Amino acid sequence: MHTNAKITILTFVITLLFSSNSSSQNRGQLNILEGMSVTAKGGYNMFFGDLVDESRGSFTVGAMVDREMSEFISARVQLLGGQMKGTQVFPTSGLEYAYFDNIYTEFTVGGTYKPLNHIMGYFKQRTFQPYAHLNVGLVYYNSTEYWGEAGSGPQDEEWRSASEIAPLVSFGGGASFWINPMISANIEVSSAVPFTDRMDVHDVWYAHDDWQTEVNPISTDPYDVYYNFTVGITFVIQDSKLRNDPKYNRKSYIKTRQFYQSKSRRTPNRRTDKKKFLFF
């Protein structure tokens, strides 16, 4: 694992742990649950490492915890996992040269930026809320590479394997779609750049029969980039104390009035019914 990447990740985590929004600072204490939500998600990943010409897609599932830090910045922690796969085709014959599969888990911390809140004013009931995100963390993978029908070794026999943890940087964008005060839908795309070239175990290759003696290795391009495309459902754990921009007060009332019935209007009715029953 690269030392510089470790230092970067540690610095980023410490910064998040000691940051808080302005309203929390004014109160003198931090309620960690304020503005917090959790998102369950799943989707599709596409691997773009060295050992992929075909069949590069597989599945990803996971969860994300997000907390509003200001009107347009949130902190987030995410755990994703799933499977990756890919096939390399021999250029002259078009036959399968080698293929791999793996299981992977990534853990990241990061932040999101909501441009509409920044440009147009804070509105927590906004129907469509796009955002950009940036994260750092670690990825664990357990990968195996196999010979294909045009490979140098016996077809479908294991060539080599790797099980490692590597630093990771990911970034991308997404959007949330407001459903009610407690639930919203979520879509997101992210590009992940792990600081390793062994997620497909294909970091070097050998010409002709050199693979048997592993002499004259030829290095492949660094970094096994992959993409995640996910959809999810977000549940609000506790609403934030941030207030909508005043120009959205009426819109907010119209969108939320059906979800909040006034107790003051219900309680007298119950009391009136009780009195009618007692004095009938």
Side-chain angles (χ1 to χ4, degrees):
M1 187 183 298
H2 299 262
T3 302
N4 291 338
K6 288 182 179 179
I7 295 173
T8 300
I9 292 172
L10 181 60
T11 302
F12 193 87
V13 171
I14 292 174
T15 300
L16 281 178
L17 290 176
F18 283 92
S19 64
S20 63
N21 59 24
S22 57
S23 61
S24 298
Q25 292 173 344
N26 292 334
R27 292 195 303 270
Q29 61 182 17
L30 173 65
N31 179 358
I32 192 66
L33 294 181
E34 284 183 5
M36 183 175 288
S37 62
V38 59
T39 302
K41 56 175 59 180
Y44 187 74
N45 67 66
M46 295 185 71
F47 184 79
F48 284 84
D50 308 297
L51 197 68
V52 174
D53 294 315
E54 297 178 350
S55 305
R56 66 175 76 246
S58 194
F59 70 91
T60 293
V61 295
M64 177 181 69
V65 177
D66 182 276
R67 184 181 185 275
E68 287 186 307
M69 307 300 288
S70 72
E71 285 80 1
F72 50 87
I73 297 293
S74 295
R76 55 188 256 164
V77 177
Q78 182 169 252
L79 181 66
L80 295 177
Q83 183 182 39
M84 294 177 184
K85 63 178 182 176
T87 298
Q88 188 180 60
V89 175
F90 201 84
T92 56
S93 65
L95 299 177
E96 181 181 72
Y97 174 73
Y99 63 95
F100 89 101
D101 56 36
N102 75 13
I103 57 172
Y104 84 101
T105 301
E106 70 170 64
F107 174 80
T108 58
V109 296
T112 63
Y113 168 68
K114 301 174 183 176
L116 294 188
N117 278 358
H118 196 181
I119 298 170
M120 303 175 63
Y122 182 76
F123 184 23
K124 65 179 62 181
Q125 290 85 28
R126 181 171 276 116
T127 301
F128 173 69
Q129 184 76 272
Y131 61 85
H133 63 88
L134 175 66
N135 319 274
V136 296
L138 300 170
V139 59
Y140 162 79
Y141 56 91
N142 189 328
S143 308
T144 304
E145 183 178 8
Y146 304 89
W147 292 113
E149 57 185 333
S152 301
Q155 183 176 354
D156 298 326
E157 183 174 295
E158 180 180 326
W159 179 3
R160 48 193 172 178
S161 62
S163 181
E164 298 173 348
I165 297 175
L168 172 79
V169 175
S170 68
F171 55 91
S176 61
F177 301 85
W178 191 88
I179 297 175
N180 64 44
M182 301 302 296
I183 299 176
S184 60
N186 174 269
I187 61 172
E188 186 171 292
V189 58
S190 64
S191 174
V193 184
F195 290 83
T196 179
D197 192 30
R198 289 172 57 80
M199 290 194 74
D200 55 5
V201 209
H202 200 75
D203 56 337
V204 296
W205 61 282
Y206 306 91
H208 304 296
D209 294 329
D210 288 342
W211 67 272
Q212 294 178 317
T213 56
E214 295 189 353
V215 297
N216 302 319
I218 302 171
S219 297
T220 59
D221 294 332
Y223 311 131
D224 288 334
V225 176
Y226 61 93
Y227 294 85
N228 282 315
F229 307 86
T230 60
V231 296
I233 296 293
T234 299
F235 303 90
V236 175
I237 297 176
Q238 183 175 324
D239 203 2
S240 72
K241 300 299 183 183
L242 297 173
R243 296 181 180 274
N244 283 334
D245 190 284
K247 65 183 177 181
Y248 294 116
N249 286 346
R250 178 164 179 77
K251 288 184 178 180
S252 176
Y253 169 73
I254 293 173
K255 294 190 73 169
T256 60
R257 61 183 175 181
Q258 61 180 313
F259 302 105
Y260 298 109
Q261 296 181 5
S262 173
K263 292 182 180 181
S264 62
R265 296 182 60 183
R266 294 199 303 267
T267 303
N269 291 338
R270 289 199 296 269
R271 290 176 179 174
T272 301
D273 293 342
K274 186 175 181 180
K275 289 180 180 179
K276 288 181 178 179
F277 176 76
L278 291 175
F279 294 98
F280 181 75

